[in-house]
Amino acid sequence: MNFFEAQDRARRATRWLVVAYLLATVVIVAAVTAVVAFALRLNGQVGPPDPGLLAGTAIAATLLIFGATAYRTASLSSGGGRVATDMGGTPVSPDTTDLLERRLRNVVEEMAIASGVPVPEIYVLQQERGINAFAAGYTPGDAAIAVTRGALETLDRDELQGVIAHEFSHILNGDMRLSIRMIGVLFGIMVIGLLGRLVLRSSFHGRAFSNRRNRQAPAVLLIGLGLAILGWIGVLIARVIKAAISRRRELLADASAVQFTRQTAGLAGALKKIGGYDAKSYLRAADPEEVSHMLFALGSRFSSLFATHPPLTERIRALDPTFHEADYAKVRIVDQRAAAESGAPAAAAQAFAAATPAVAAIVDSMGRPDARQIETARALHASMPPALAEAARSSAEAPLLVLALALDRSGRHVARQLAMLQQQLGAERRARIETLRAELSRLGPLHHLPLLALAFPALKKRPPEQLEWLLDLARRLIEIDGRVDLSEYCFLRLLADHLRQSFDPPGRPKRVARSTVRRAAVELVQLVAAQGHADPEGRRAALAAGLAAFGRWAEPTGELDDARATAAKLDELLDVLRSLNAAGRRTLVQAIAATVLHDRELTVAESELLRTVCGALDCPLPPLVTAMTAGVEAAAAPVA
């Protein structure tokens, strides 16, 4: 299953969740109304219940369920970090001296670079001995990954990478947003039970029950008992919904993790250790009920009847058909000294070779980094100078690194840009930015986007108004010469998209007429063809290769003129194209890829352009320049 199919499945699961939620709400509201009517009849009311009272009860119950859902969903709008802290997670410091936490950070950062998404926030559930993990958030830009201390202490690097790859699959396949919505929906379903227990407690301890002259006390007690029973039924309904949606997504995440790492031993080893570990995957310090569908494995020993995960042995046999339950072995704690390694040797990063993948390979790699791309990311990560890596992870210096990345790569306008920075930030910070720029110049452009990905967790710690100011300053630096070239636009757009995801997740795209979307798609392909080729013949050939992906309806909208590719125009086109469905986005990416690859070459600038288009469409694209590819694949084949 490719990225677009996984996204479609997530959307279908979301629609199913909404239908199940509405049906459950109708059933619960009807049951609450029946409980009130029954309590009034037992309390001695003569004749049929008052229709107005019953209607008011139904309306109040409906508003309570919908209001509770909206409240819980809004409380999680700050991103996955809120879920992690609610579960008792503590953030992993960038300068942690804990060797196991440092290994975790390395693995997460490498996987983020390989996947083409910002590095998520990283948390450890320090009080949990069980082997477990989860990913939470609405978008990759506000995601968080949490891992239990037991997982760090029992898993080796390959096994930990398998678990993290499983969680990244949830990030890339659209499961995180579905999981957050499920928390809100299920809280709304279960809130009636919370109200019932509250009524029961107040009845037993309040004056209403103790006062024998109060004739309403029995009715209040019966209503409270009825609501509590409905609450238990609500918990049962919630577990059925979670199990129905989650089991298939977990198997998909296991399969994706194996596809990422190209080996089953790591993930299978982690699952086997859960079976042989005395603490299993259970959470003890935190209540796992609300987030059970988000966990890597079962969070409670009492959830087998309507489990959100397939049986452990079934998951292992899908990876290792020869496995038997008798093969579970006793687990030992990992020696911290063995976890001191921080990644691939830095020398491995010197072996980069430009490899031009085929159009189909690019589309298939979206949301599906393979083992070669993970190795490339590991080498990139290991080859970053410590000064730049530390700046990227520092809340104080990450904005300065962003500004250093925004400086003119040709050097022609750097003096004017530095003067602007001194005026805005002072001489000391201006000097620090100049130092960072000198370090960047020794690396080359291949490291720029990975460094930007590393900086996002530190940037997100700043208030939204500061991030907007940073975006505006970066834009003014880039526009200091009166123009924005394609590489500069890509940098600005990726920075803005990922940062705004963290504090203002995008809503559903506006509906746009099909003719408008088609025109925008063709015009974007034209601009890409015009930007990548100086000679008219090359532009026309690139355009023809791109338009072939659309079929017969695609016709050029005007002359091939790169002067039209202004930042405002590109923003306008990409914003319109966000309304495309999954199939349309796949076709557009095919068209852009065919346009830049028609000459069988892929430059870093063209790679950045592809990643920018994909990022604007919420389709993360892994790095397209790898160190592990043996040869160059043909890239000019027609797109079906």
Side-chain angles (χ1 to χ4, degrees):
M1 181 187 301
N2 63 35
F3 169 81
F4 299 97
E5 291 170 347
Q7 291 283 314
D8 274 341
R9 278 199 172 189
R11 292 187 183 95
R12 287 196 295 271
T14 299
R15 289 194 288 270
W16 191 93
L17 174 65
V18 171
V19 171
Y21 171 62
L22 293 176
L23 290 175
T25 299
V26 169
V27 171
I28 291 173
V29 168
V32 169
T33 305
V35 166
V36 171
F38 181 70
L40 293 176
R41 178 60 61 90
L42 288 182
N43 201 45
Q45 177 174 319
V46 179
D50 181 5
L53 177 61
L54 296 184
T57 300
I59 292 172
T62 303
L63 292 177
L64 178 63
I65 294 173
F66 286 166
T69 296
Y71 165 77
R72 188 65 181 123
T73 303
S75 71
L76 299 172
S77 62
S78 56
R82 171 64 185 270
V83 180
T85 53
D86 285 351
M87 292 295 293
T90 56
V92 175
S93 171
D95 57 354
T96 179
T97 57
D98 185 302
L99 299 181
L100 297 177
E101 291 184 358
R102 187 189 307 166
R103 182 185 65 174
L104 170 64
R105 175 170 284 281
N106 289 335
V107 170
V108 172
E109 289 177 348
E110 292 162 11
M111 190 65 68
I113 293 171
S115 303
V117 298
V119 175
E121 298 177 42
I122 307 169
Y123 291 81
V124 174
L125 307 182
Q126 298 286 4
Q127 305 303 315
E128 301 293 353
R129 291 184 57 242
I131 302 172
N132 224 319
F134 65 83
Y138 280 97
T139 64
D142 71 351
I145 285 181
V147 177
T148 61
R149 188 70 194 181
L152 296 185
E153 292 179 345
T154 57
L155 304 182
D156 63 28
R157 197 186 203 279
D158 286 344
E159 292 162 349
L160 181 64
Q161 186 180 57
V163 172
I164 297 302
H166 175 103
E167 298 308 324
F168 264 86
S169 171
H170 287 309
I171 295 175
L172 299 169
N173 290 337
D175 295 340
M176 285 196 316
R177 180 175 294 188
L178 175 63
S179 296
I180 289 286
R181 287 172 174 167
M182 203 181 303
I183 289 177
V185 163
L186 301 182
F187 181 78
I189 291 175
M190 295 185 293
V191 74
I192 294 295
L194 299 177
L195 178 63
R197 290 194 289 273
L198 179 63
V199 171
L200 281 177
R201 278 197 296 269
S202 64
S203 297
F204 279 109
H205 300 292
R207 297 176 60 185
F209 186 74
S210 61
N211 189 345
R212 294 185 178 181
R213 290 177 296 178
N214 190 337
R215 297 179 57 188
Q216 304 301 321
V220 172
L221 182 61
L222 285 172
I223 290 173
L225 181 60
L227 294 180
I229 293 172
L230 288 177
W232 295 326
I233 296 174
V235 171
L236 181 64
I237 293 174
R239 287 179 176 171
V240 170
I241 293 174
K242 286 196 291 186
I245 293 178
S246 298
R247 284 193 175 207
R248 187 174 296 177
R249 307 300 296 181
E250 291 302 320
L251 289 174
L252 172 61
D254 283 350
S256 296
V258 171
Q259 184 174 347
F260 293 171
T261 59
R262 288 290 175 91
Q263 52 101 0
T264 61
L267 182 61
L271 293 170
K272 291 173 184 177
K273 282 188 175 179
I274 290 175
Y277 187 40
D278 61 343
K280 303 294 183 185
S281 58
Y282 306 143
L283 303 185
R284 290 176 170 80
D287 181 7
E289 178 62 40
E290 191 175 41
V291 299
S292 59
H293 58 289
M294 302 171 65
L295 298 174
F296 173 69
L298 293 177
S300 170
R301 67 178 70 250
F302 304 111
S303 57
S304 58
L305 184 59
F306 296 107
T308 54
H309 296 64
L312 190 62
T313 303
E314 178 184 327
R315 292 175 69 184
I316 296 173
R317 283 178 179 164
L319 304 170
D320 178 6
T322 65
F323 180 79
H324 298 283
E325 289 192 28
D327 297 335
Y328 285 122
K330 187 173 180 60
V331 175
R332 297 179 179 179
I333 301 299
V334 173
D335 184 353
Q336 283 211 24
R337 288 172 296 180
E341 54 82 32
S342 60
Q350 307 306 318
F352 287 113
T356 303
V359 172
I362 287 178
V363 175
D364 290 342
S365 73
M366 298 182 66
R368 292 286 186 278
D370 61 23
R372 295 174 303 173
Q373 287 159 331
I374 292 175
E375 286 302 319
T376 298
R378 191 174 180 187
L380 274 169
H381 184 270
S383 66
M384 290 177 184
L388 290 178
E390 290 170 8
R393 297 180 181 122
S394 165
S395 179
E397 293 215 323
L400 305 183
L401 177 62
V402 168
L403 296 174
L405 287 166
L407 295 179
D408 180 24
R409 294 181 187 177
S410 70
R412 291 192 299 270
H413 308 287
V414 170
R416 293 169 60 195
Q417 290 173 323
L418 291 175
M420 177 186 287
L421 288 172
Q422 181 159 332
Q423 182 182 20
Q424 294 289 324
L425 301 173
E428 184 178 348
R429 290 180 180 175
R430 177 254 192 203
R432 179 57 179 154
I433 292 171
E434 194 169 9
T435 300
L436 293 173
R437 177 184 177 275
E439 290 278 358
L440 287 168
S441 66
R442 287 192 283 271
L443 278 181
L446 191 59
H447 287 75
H448 287 190
L449 290 185
L451 276 169
L452 191 59
L454 286 187
F456 279 115
L459 292 172
K460 290 190 298 184
K461 295 177 182 179
R462 292 184 166 269
E465 56 271 15
Q466 290 187 16
L467 297 180
E468 289 286 5
W469 181 86
L470 176 64
L471 284 172
D472 181 66
L473 181 55
R475 178 187 57 78
R476 286 188 285 144
L477 285 173
I478 286 173
E479 294 177 348
I480 203 166
D481 59 347
R483 63 185 298 272
V484 179
D485 66 29
L486 203 57
S487 292
E488 292 170 336
Y489 172 77
C490 291
F491 170 79
L492 269 182
R493 179 77 193 209
L494 284 172
L495 178 66
D497 283 348
H498 289 321
L499 281 183
R500 286 178 177 143
Q501 279 183 5
S502 68
F503 60 81
D504 185 23
R508 182 173 298 179
K510 296 180 180 178
R511 290 186 176 274
V512 181
R514 178 179 293 183
S515 60
T516 303
V517 175
R518 285 184 169 183
R519 182 179 178 85
V522 171
E523 196 163 354
L524 180 61
V525 172
Q526 286 186 224
L527 294 179
V528 172
Q531 283 284 322
H533 304 85
D535 61 297
E537 189 62 33
R539 292 181 178 185
R540 284 192 291 270
L543 177 62
L547 295 186
F550 294 136
R552 295 180 180 177
W553 59 264
E555 294 291 340
T557 62
E559 292 296 321
L560 287 174
D561 182 7
D562 61 355
R564 294 186 300 161
T566 63
K569 184 61 178 179
L570 287 166
D571 278 338
E572 175 191 333
L573 295 177
L574 290 175
D575 289 343
V576 168
L577 293 169
R578 285 196 70 243
S579 63
L580 284 170
N581 59 18
R585 294 183 184 201
R586 179 186 178 93
T587 302
L588 178 62
V589 173
Q590 286 178 327
I592 300 294
T595 302
V596 300
L597 295 179
H598 89 285
D599 56 359
R600 300 175 183 264
E601 293 181 1
L602 179 67
T603 66
V604 173
E606 289 172 331
S607 172
E608 289 179 350
L609 172 61
L610 272 169
R611 294 184 72 179
T612 301
V613 172
C614 294
L617 300 178
D618 298 325
C619 304
L621 184 67
L624 298 178
V625 180
T626 70
M628 308 302 292
T629 305
V632 177
E633 300 175 82
V639 181

